[in-house]
Amino acid sequence: MNEKQNMEPTGPDVFAIQEKWLPVWDELKPFASGNKDDNRPKKYVLDMFPYPSGDGLHVGHPEGYTATDIIGRYKRMTGHNVLHPMGYDAFGLPAEQYAIEHGVHPTKSTHENIDNFRKQLDNIGFSYDWEREVRTCDASYYKWTQWIFLQLFNSYFDRAAKKATPITALIAAFEKEG
């Protein structure tokens, strides 16, 4: 037997097993969290969302995600309703810089990179609730961050009332009283 034959894997074809089960998991959604009326104790497990500013995950991503995946799986096995979402911090300069460097429109490159990240995460087999996926580049997400910014921008903290107050009230007070 030569050295190459010695290094070939033996046993079941891991890729064939994976090809069989990935569609089953996608259909059954075994890692989806229950609704809020679920009486089990709740556990929220959150990973840092990767920047899809590259065309694939790097070794640092799964290294950190493995620990949270273990915690999520353990909590599920001990009767908890676990919310373990994944998302992509895709709105901003890193994604735009990648697009510039590769001569591709940021929307196209960001969505292609996210699709590749998702495929890689699925192939690793992490237990994410993909029903709760967040993509910060989607208008349905950033419309709310923009709305929150506008609320903050158009408000000031009123010390007497001990709450945020519309800035128009402060402007009116300055116009009236100086």
Side-chain angles (χ1 to χ4, degrees):
M1 208 159 40
N2 67 33
E3 192 172 317
K4 183 180 179 194
Q5 289 171 321
N6 246 350
M7 296 177 68
E8 290 182 7
T10 59
D13 180 356
V14 175
F15 298 108
I17 293 170
Q18 191 170 353
E19 274 184 38
K20 174 186 174 185
W21 287 104
L22 282 175
V24 173
W25 293 334
D26 195 42
E27 182 183 333
L28 295 178
K29 300 179 184 351
F31 307 120
S33 56
N35 294 326
K36 65 181 180 180
D37 59 349
D38 189 320
N39 291 328
R40 296 175 294 165
K42 293 168 179 45
K43 183 67 176 176
Y44 183 43
V45 180
L46 184 62
D47 288 306
M48 180 181 76
F49 293 166
Y51 300 119
S53 56
D55 54 7
L57 296 170
H58 64 76
V59 71
H61 289 118
E63 179 184 20
Y65 301 158
T66 300
T68 53
D69 192 66
I70 291 167
I71 291 167
R73 288 172 187 270
Y74 172 77
K75 288 298 184 177
R76 274 188 207 92
M77 291 188 310
T78 57
H80 289 76
N81 178 10
V82 177
L83 172 57
H84 189 193
M86 177 45 81
Y88 307 94
D89 191 359
F91 188 67
L93 293 176
E96 290 172 10
Q97 186 60 39
Y98 176 88
I100 290 166
E101 289 171 1
H102 291 84
V104 181
H105 192 280
T107 300
K108 184 177 189 304
S109 65
T110 300
H111 287 286
E112 286 174 356
N113 291 347
I114 288 173
D115 291 344
N116 191 42
F117 277 39
R118 168 69 192 268
K119 182 179 176 185
Q120 290 175 319
L121 290 166
D122 282 343
N123 285 337
I124 294 170
F126 289 129
S127 61
Y128 293 118
D129 181 352
W130 289 111
E131 299 291 307
R132 310 292 172 102
E133 180 186 61
V134 175
R135 294 181 177 199
T136 62
C137 59
D138 286 344
S140 63
Y141 176 86
Y142 66 75
K143 80 174 187 177
W144 292 110
T145 61
Q146 296 300 307
W147 179 84
I148 291 167
F149 171 79
L150 290 173
Q151 302 311 303
L152 295 170
F153 184 78
N154 293 316
S155 302
Y156 77 101
F157 185 75
D158 183 339
R159 290 185 195 175
K162 296 188 178 188
K163 66 177 188 173
T165 305
I167 196 76
T168 53
L170 184 61
I171 292 169
F174 282 148
E175 288 173 349
K176 182 179 177 185
E177 300 168 16

